[in-house]
Amino acid sequence: MNAQLLRIGDDIVALHAVVTDEGVTLIDAGLPGDRRILQEALATAGRSLDDIRGIVLTHGDSDHIGVAEWLRTEHGVPTFVHEADAGRARGDKTPSASGGAWKLGPTLRFLGVAVRRGAMRAKHLGEVRTVRDGEVLDLPGAPEIIGLPGHSPGSIAIRIPAVDALFLGDAITTRHVLNGSEDVQVGPFSDDPAQTPESLEKLRALPERTIVVGHGPIFHGTAAEMLASLKR
């Protein structure tokens, strides 16, 4: 299978597209103002919105669902989310976890990006398709769902061997959006941060060497190497 990974957005808030001969799978949906950058990224790969077959959310928080409802209502693109986070994605449940220690500069940059890219216009999903741990979805790249509760009850890792990647969402961060720390660490705003390292152990033996997070640079190395670097 020919497959290409597109990183869209930036290290503050990123979404990703897996482009294959069969079409495109989006991993997370960024912020509501990301329509243009999504279209531009797909165009560089010779694709369009009509090639998107589905969106898979690493979890249901508002900075990961940005363009999903627009794609659902305007282009018929379904969104897949773990059953334990379906309520978040629909707006039925609101997370309230603390972000932890912060510094003025990084926090202002995060807020500036969020506002500029439409965070205040976030729209929850009117309809989702739920997934469970262990499923392999019938979408381009054959995404495999691995439950990673901790950041949220329905956080997942998404394994796509075709692009040598594991997508972890906010389970970890490689650049903390509130204080700028570049340590590999559990992501802020986590419901149960103590649970995340235990959940990550499920990934230890996997061979993929591209660890993709929602906030911060990609970690180049295996899950075992990422775990060795994880700040405890």
Side-chain angles (χ1 to χ4, degrees), residues 108-184:
L108 289 177
R109 282 193 291 274
F110 175 53
L111 294 175
V113 166
V115 170
R116 187 168 63 253
R117 289 169 55 187
M120 304 304 291
R121 305 192 305 272
K123 291 190 70 172
H124 289 97
L125 282 148
E127 180 181 316
V128 296
R129 298 186 187 181
T130 58
V131 300
R132 295 183 178 184
D133 185 14
E135 286 190 54
V136 177
L137 304 183
D138 185 19
L139 290 173
E144 177 184 347
I145 307 303
I146 304 171
L148 286 184
H151 182 76
S152 66
S155 286
I156 59 173
I158 303 164
R159 184 188 182 202
I160 304 187
V163 289
D164 191 35
L166 292 170
F167 300 85
L168 304 190
D170 290 0
I172 67 162
T173 182
T174 55
R175 183 179 298 145
H176 197 296
V177 294
L178 298 183
N179 62 39
S181 169
E182 296 184 0
D183 291 325
V184 177

Side-chain angles (χ1 to χ4, degrees), residues 93-107:
K93 298 180 180 179
T94 303
S96 57
S98 169
W102 61 280
K103 294 181 180 179
L104 183 60
T107 299

Side-chain angles (χ1 to χ4, degrees), residues 2-47:
N2 294 317
Q4 176 185 3
L5 173 60
L6 302 180
R7 185 167 173 84
I8 304 164
D10 52 37
D11 287 347
I12 296 179
V13 180
L15 61 151
H16 299 84
V18 175
V19 180
T20 77
D21 297 337
E22 292 75 34
V24 176
T25 296
L26 290 188
I27 307 298
D28 287 327
L31 292 163
D34 288 347
R35 299 179 186 185
R36 179 183 57 79
I37 61 173
L38 171 61
Q39 291 173 296
E40 289 175 350
L42 292 176
T44 65
R47 299 304 180 94

